[in-house]
Amino acid sequence: MSQMVEMARLMQGNEAVAEGALVAGVRFFAGYPITPSTEIAEIMAERLPRMGGKFMQMEDELASLAAVIGASLAGLKSMTATSGPGFSLMQENIGFAAMAEVPCVIINVQRSGPSTGMPTAPAQGDVMQARWGTHGDHPVIVLSPASVREVFDLTVRAVNLAEKYRVPVILLMDEVVGHLREKVVLPSTGEMQIINRLVPASNAAGYLPYRPDENGVPPMASFGDGYRYHVTGLAHDEQGMPTSDPEVVENLLQRLHNKINYHLADIILDDAFYLEDAQVVVLAYGCSARPARHAVKEARQKGIKAGLYRPLTLWPFPEQRVLEIARRAHTIIVPEMNLGQYRLEVERVVRNLTQVRGLHRVHGELIEPGDILAAIQEVV
Amino acid sequence: MRGLERYLRMEKFPHIWCPGCGNGIVLGSLLRAIKKLDLNQDRAVIVGGIGCSSRAVGYLDFNTLHTTHGRALAYATGIKMARPELNVIVITGDGDATAIGGNHFIHAARRNIDLTVLLFNNNIYGMTGGQFSPMTPVHKKATTAPYGVIEPNFDIAELARVAGASYVGRSTTYHSGLLSELIVEGIKNRGFSLIEAITACPTAYGRRNSMKGGLEMLLWQKENAVLVQKAEKMDSNELAGKIIIGRLHSQASPEYTAVYQQLVDGISQKTGGGMIAPLKGT
């Protein structure tokens, strides 16, 4: 294994998801085929049974995430992969996983929408769905890679964060990154941190399945390991039993959010390029970050103090970092393949500290470096 | 109840079901079956969907899971795949299993995965207050069918059989002893087993359909149920409006998790393993 991963390889983004998941310890995959995520399921179908894991092609996306949650409760690191319309169908069970604190990873290789949209065209239209797709106020972690190597790293990270915080983690890819082929050198397994869920230290009799540890996360026993307990999507007490006691419910929902909010430093990951003295900052993620980087380089060659800020953790929103940028730069440009989903969040956070410009495309063609460069030149 | 307390979370009682509801009888039949088989509570998982029946899982001292509406079988499939050695029992209702969960139902039966499904059929959506389900008989009234249901209803036992289930049984709460025997057979069956339990909902169904109370509905079951052995000698006129109960179908066929294991073993033989050592966590 370590020999294999140290080699340089030409690899597709979707392939890197599968590699990352397997290295991170994912041993159960259930999914339903949908373009442009299909290769992930195909690779998992081939690889998992060879390593004692399980692959299932379910009847639909609802069943896929339901099976993933079931397998996770029975102790396996579990995930699914889908694209836009399938992601919509998974929302109900994403909410369940958030409420019942079941670790799981959902890969969404975004495609153009709404509805069936353009199945093979790239888009970044699921940014808000990833944050608020299921009903209620729920915690969530959403990661966005921009290169094949980053897909691998963030898939491992997604599995680790899901296990550590017992939350559904969404890897929000896009068609470009999913189908892009790049030369990658993967790290050897020894270099990588792999996190497994915390199991209860107490004996089965005293086990309270929803009593949090000091980090706000309850240790998790697997079904079949001698800890008999109840799991429900209803509001519940520390025993896992349904309740509508206002105080208990309030505490539960606050804790579900706080276990993320109190660990922002651990969860938020970002990348900066020429940011130190930048007066115009391009804030970009996923496929739009690639032309953005190119445009910033060209702007620097023209003597313009431009920089790139790239959130790899889209949600929770990197509020402090964006505020720091807003205090120094006179303009933040947000290029994205939607009509302003993340730009609106940037505007909400920076308020009147600086001006925010959007650069939006929804026709299925990538944003080009020249488009972003022109936007930079327009504001200097 | 004697000897069954060990299977219950006694501190969770009283239960939420209405007076006259048959769900307690179905639950009793399940517990007697579990006792007869002496199932290990740590090695059994009981999964419910949404609805009156599915709330039963909260009262059972097992590994229990109360899922999203209609999806119990898909959750149970994941559990069974992850740990095939566990006994996985699914409690669901007629609305849960045949409407919103209809697709999951036919595909779980088609795979013949080793799950035992105890379907509480009260012919109505009880928890939401009496709307018709795909198993409400035609012409019967419901809050969303004030002039009577115009849709033909499912025969879920027949649907399970043709979809691929290897065991199908049906009984009523009046015939609770038979119900318990069928559940025993269903749990023993290595494959997908459906046991349909006809149960009374006097509050949301009986009241709107001139069936008075729970007792009258039990007596209706007594009068209208026909054992499958007897039914074989009756013609279609005699069987009109009757419920056929007993073991309706039993045929051994390849079970999904076992077939999956064979697949894994086959790959290992061909490739000489390919097993990657488990990674050490932090």
Side-chain angles (χ1 to χ4, degrees), chain B residues 157 161 166-171 178-179 181-186 189 194-195 226-229 232 244-251:
Chain B
R161 186 184 68 77
S166 47
Y167 182 90
V168 179
R170 182 193 284 135
S171 188
L178 171 66
L179 179 58
E181 286 169 32
L182 298 175
I183 297 169
V184 167
E185 290 187 354
N189 174 51
L194 168 75
I195 296 96
V226 181
L227 261 175
V228 63
Q229 293 85 343
E232 277 162 11
I244 301 174
I245 58 171
R247 184 198 306 133
L248 304 181
H249 171 71
S250 177
Q251 185 167 23

Side-chain angles (χ1 to χ4, degrees), chain B residues 3-78:
Chain B
L4 300 179
E5 292 90 341
R6 58 178 288 218
Y7 299 116
L8 292 165
R9 295 174 174 138
M10 293 302 289
E11 71 280 12
K12 299 300 162 200
F13 287 86
H15 60 68
I16 58 160
W17 295 318
C18 309
C21 171
N23 287 0
I25 301 174
V26 183
L27 191 62
S29 295
L30 170 66
L31 294 183
R32 278 184 280 277
I34 285 172
K35 185 171 179 235
K36 186 165 181 194
L37 290 165
D38 195 23
L39 285 193
N40 182 331
Q41 278 160 277
D42 290 329
R43 296 272 173 265
V45 182
I46 307 187
V47 184
I50 296 287
C52 298
S53 62
S54 295
R55 289 300 283 270
V57 294
Y59 306 123
L60 297 167
D61 191 11
F62 292 83
N63 305 282
T64 51
L65 175 62
H66 181 222
T67 68
T68 45
H69 193 28
R71 321 285 168 225
L73 280 166
Y75 278 76
T77 296

Side-chain angles (χ1 to χ4, degrees), chain B residues 3-279:
Chain B
L4 300 179
E5 292 90 341
R6 58 178 288 218
Y7 299 116
L8 292 165
R9 295 174 174 138
M10 293 302 289
E11 71 280 12
K12 299 300 162 200
F13 287 86
H15 60 68
I16 58 160
W17 295 318
C18 309
C21 171
N23 287 0
I25 301 174
V26 183
L27 191 62
S29 295
L30 170 66
L31 294 183
R32 278 184 280 277
I34 285 172
K35 185 171 179 235
K36 186 165 181 194
L37 290 165
D38 195 23
L39 285 193
N40 182 331
Q41 278 160 277
D42 290 329
R43 296 272 173 265
V45 182
I46 307 187
V47 184
I50 296 287
C52 298
S53 62
S54 295
R55 289 300 283 270
V57 294
Y59 306 123
L60 297 167
D61 191 11
F62 292 83
N63 305 282
T64 51
L65 175 62
H66 181 222
T67 68
T68 45
H69 193 28
R71 321 285 168 225
L73 280 166
Y75 278 76
T77 296
I79 294 167
K80 185 70 188 178
M81 278 299 277
R83 299 191 72 161
E85 74 276 18
L86 300 179
N87 276 299
V88 184
I89 297 166
V90 176
I91 286 175
T92 181
D94 48 310
D96 195 51
T98 70
I100 190 166
N103 200 32
H104 308 312
F105 184 89
I106 57 175
H107 289 284
R110 176 179 62 84
R111 291 184 190 104
N112 193 36
I113 187 164
D114 187 21
L115 303 172
T116 303
V117 181
L118 179 57
L119 190 152
F120 292 48
N121 177 14
N122 63 1
N123 305 110
I124 205 81
Y125 283 91
M127 195 157 268
T128 41
Q131 301 78 26
F132 70 94
S133 92
M135 292 179 72
T136 308
V138 72
H139 305 317
K140 295 293 182 186
K141 287 184 178 168
T143 59
T144 46
Y147 313 110
V149 169
I150 59 170
E151 301 178 10
N153 58 324
F154 267 135
D155 178 338
I156 194 66
E158 187 60 10
L159 181 64
R161 186 184 68 77
V162 297
S166 47
Y167 182 90
V168 179
R170 182 193 284 135
S171 188
T172 77
T173 47
Y174 181 85
H175 307 84
S176 66
L178 171 66
L179 179 58
S180 203
E181 286 169 32
L182 298 175
I183 297 169
V184 167
E185 290 187 354
I187 293 173
K188 278 185 177 168
N189 174 51
R190 189 99 172 91
F192 186 91
S193 307
L194 168 75
I195 296 96
E196 180 187 351
I198 310 282
T199 174
C201 174
T203 307
Y205 180 75
R207 187 160 56 93
R208 283 189 190 86
N209 289 290
S210 324
M211 294 184 88
K212 296 182 183 166
L215 177 63
E216 288 78 4
M217 293 180 81
L218 264 181
L219 294 173
W220 180 91
Q221 291 170 9
K222 178 192 176 191
E223 280 153 28
N224 288 281
V226 181
L227 261 175
V228 63
Q229 293 85 343
K230 191 180 170 195
E232 277 162 11
K233 294 170 198 141
M234 293 164 71
D235 63 32
S236 55
N237 283 337
E238 290 171 303
L239 282 171
K242 300 291 183 193
I243 308 162
I244 301 174
I245 58 171
R247 184 198 306 133
L248 304 181
H249 171 71
S250 177
Q251 185 167 23
S253 59
E255 189 275 326
Y256 187 83
T257 61
V259 172
Y260 198 94
Q261 191 53 49
Q262 283 165 17
L263 172 94
V264 168
D265 296 344
I267 295 168
S268 307
Q269 274 174 12
K270 268 188 225 147
T271 61
M275 183 84 175
I276 291 172
L279 293 153

